[in-house]
Amino acid sequence: MTTQVREHFRADVREWCRTHVPADWRREQTGVDDATFVAFQQWWFAELHAAGYAVPHWPAEWGGGLSVAEQVVLYQELAAHDAPRLVLPFVSIHHAASTLFAAGTDEQRQRHLPAILGGEIWCQGFSEPGAGSDMAALTTSARKVDDTYVVNGQKLWASGAAHADWCLLLARTDPEAPKRRGISYFLMDMRTPGVEVRPIRQATGESHFCEIFLSDVVIPAENLVGPENEGWRVAQETLGAERGMTMLELAERLGHAGFRWLVDLCGRAGADGTRPRDNAMVADRLACLETELTGLRALCAAFVADDNPGPADASIVKLYYSELLQRMTDFGADVAGLGGQTGLRKPMSSGWESGSWVLDFIGSWEWTIPGGTSEIQRTIIGERGLGLPREPQVTK
């Protein structure tokens, strides 16, 4: 794509944002109930879809087709214009779609992809109480009965499960096989008898995560994705959706809305008339964070443009983003003082940075745990990226 074509596309996106991004969405989405949040997310998804911006990473025949360069521009402009994030459809348009494109049948794609574009919501049933970072240790079972599977077990940390229509589910179909070889991958209708969802109230007051209890849940064999016992391989396609362009979008939002909130906070005069940024240490910290943000955005842009990324590149991006998010929100909570400690509401459709600094800081710890903890990311970087000796295995 030439510079002229890219800038023409950027001008189109800017004009669309100017006329479509609701200026007061943060205020209207603060403190709302679940029904209002869901309705807003569905409306905003429909707005983006009508413009061709909701699923730019999908193939053109399914409503996407934007080039990598165009996707970069799109996410840069959405972040610069402080557009709401697609929080609720995230698993649907990234994890579910990438799984269906890579390993689903034609029938599964024809059934679910149009439904996702119409507002179908998905959640992910991977983690369990005893299988978080070590996902291969899952114990939820799926027993073959005629042309169905009967599933029993429990899933944990299922984002948005309280609103989901369908679930990407991993279950063990061969308990005798090695851990990664006896797992199968299913599409589970959340309205199936035996499915119970319990929201988990978090320290921030939100209930974004849920537990899913499965009691003799019957899943048709046609909802199996990929071959039986090959679910671990299929799951890698799902997890791959968390990397690349989704990280670039998050980095752009942190560099735009997040940093603007921080600069504004440091520029406010206190009761004594002084501003935090007049303090040399605060000004130095702001400069350091801006430098780190510039590096993060450049790293993400280089990563998505690389057709052959290194084996540890995704871990480097994830580790850099999550720990920078933590440092930045920690600094915001410090500078905000007492007033920042009592602001306990945030916009439901914001990103991980909302300006409610204590809630943002508490929420930032989520990013150093799911999708592989920071310790696991460092292990991957050391072993796969730097070629260091593998970590010793504990034997019983």
Side-chain angles (χ1 to χ4, degrees), residues 72 244 247-249 251 295-305 317 321:
V72 170
M247 292 306 305
L248 181 134
E249 178 191 2
L296 172 65
R297 292 166 67 187
L299 178 66
C300 289
F303 180 55
V304 299
V317 171
Y321 170 82

Side-chain angles (χ1 to χ4, degrees), residues 259-293:
F259 192 67
R260 286 205 305 266
W261 282 108
L262 191 56
V263 170
D264 178 66
L265 174 67
C266 292
R268 297 176 195 167
D272 60 356
T274 63
R275 301 175 302 175
R277 72 181 184 200
D278 294 333
N279 182 293
M281 292 181 66
V282 172
D284 179 69
R285 188 72 183 277
L286 276 176
C288 289
L289 287 171
E290 184 175 19
T291 302
E292 288 187 89
L293 285 165

Side-chain angles (χ1 to χ4, degrees), residues 126-128 130-138 172 179-180 232 376:
F126 283 14
S127 296
E128 297 183 5
S133 296
D134 184 12
M135 191 174 67
L138 65 87
R172 189 165 299 284
K179 286 201 306 185
R180 297 185 182 183
W232 180 264
I376 287 176

Side-chain angles (χ1 to χ4, degrees), residues 106-336:
D106 288 340
E107 291 76 12
Q108 289 168 345
R109 285 189 284 269
Q110 291 292 339
R111 178 181 183 183
H112 290 293
L113 293 175
I116 289 172
L117 294 177
E120 186 175 81
I121 301 301
W122 287 68
C123 65
Q124 188 171 301
F126 283 14
S127 296
E128 297 183 5
S133 296
D134 184 12
M135 191 174 67
L138 65 87
T139 59
T140 293
S141 65
R143 179 170 53 88
K144 186 74 178 292
V145 179
D146 298 326
D147 58 350
T148 68
Y149 290 84
V150 179
V151 181
N152 285 277
Q154 178 185 354
K155 295 297 178 177
L156 193 60
W157 311 125
S159 300
H163 309 298
D165 303 299
W166 285 80
C167 176
L168 302 171
L169 183 75
L170 289 181
R172 189 165 299 284
T173 41
D174 185 354
E176 303 302 321
K179 286 201 306 185
R180 297 185 182 183
R181 297 184 183 275
I183 296 171
S184 295
Y185 198 117
F186 300 94
L187 310 177
M188 181 180 72
D189 189 336
M190 292 292 284
R191 294 153 295 196
T192 306
V195 176
E196 180 186 357
V197 178
R198 299 181 191 173
I200 302 170
R201 187 169 179 82
Q202 298 155 235
T204 58
E206 301 169 301
S207 298
H208 177 65
F209 295 114
C210 299
E211 294 177 282
I212 304 175
F213 294 87
L214 307 167
S215 302
D216 291 332
V217 176
V218 178
I219 300 178
E222 65 191 34
N223 287 6
L224 177 70
V225 182
E228 186 178 282
N229 297 325
E230 291 294 326
W232 180 264
R233 178 183 57 78
V234 178
Q236 304 317 301
E237 301 291 343
T238 305
L239 296 174
E242 295 181 351
R243 297 156 174 83
M245 204 61 71
T246 60
M247 292 306 305
L248 181 134
E249 178 191 2
L250 291 170
E252 287 296 322
R253 288 182 179 275
L254 190 62
H256 280 282
F259 192 67
R260 286 205 305 266
W261 282 108
L262 191 56
V263 170
D264 178 66
L265 174 67
C266 292
R268 297 176 195 167
D272 60 356
T274 63
R275 301 175 302 175
R277 72 181 184 200
D278 294 333
N279 182 293
M281 292 181 66
V282 172
D284 179 69
R285 188 72 183 277
L286 276 176
C288 289
L289 287 171
E290 184 175 19
T291 302
E292 288 187 89
L293 285 165
T294 301
L296 172 65
R297 292 166 67 187
L299 178 66
C300 289
F303 180 55
V304 299
D306 191 346
D307 292 331
N308 188 30
D313 287 4
S315 292
I316 293 170
V317 171
K318 199 267 187 183
L319 181 67
Y320 190 172
Y321 170 82
S322 59
E323 299 202 348
L324 177 55
L325 173 68
Q326 209 166 77
R327 291 194 296 274
M328 185 170 157
T329 53
D330 184 19
F331 179 58
D334 259 354
V335 175

Side-chain angles (χ1 to χ4, degrees), residues 20-41 43-44 82 84 261 345-350 354:
H20 286 78
V21 174
D24 57 351
W25 72 267
R26 285 185 176 272
R27 178 183 60 81
E28 292 188 354
Q29 279 284 287
T30 299
V32 299
D33 58 25
D34 278 357
T36 304
F37 163 66
V38 171
F40 179 82
Q41 284 281 302
W43 168 80
W44 181 237
D82 193 26
W261 282 108
R345 297 197 310 169
K346 63 182 291 186
M348 292 282 284
S349 296
S350 69
S354 71

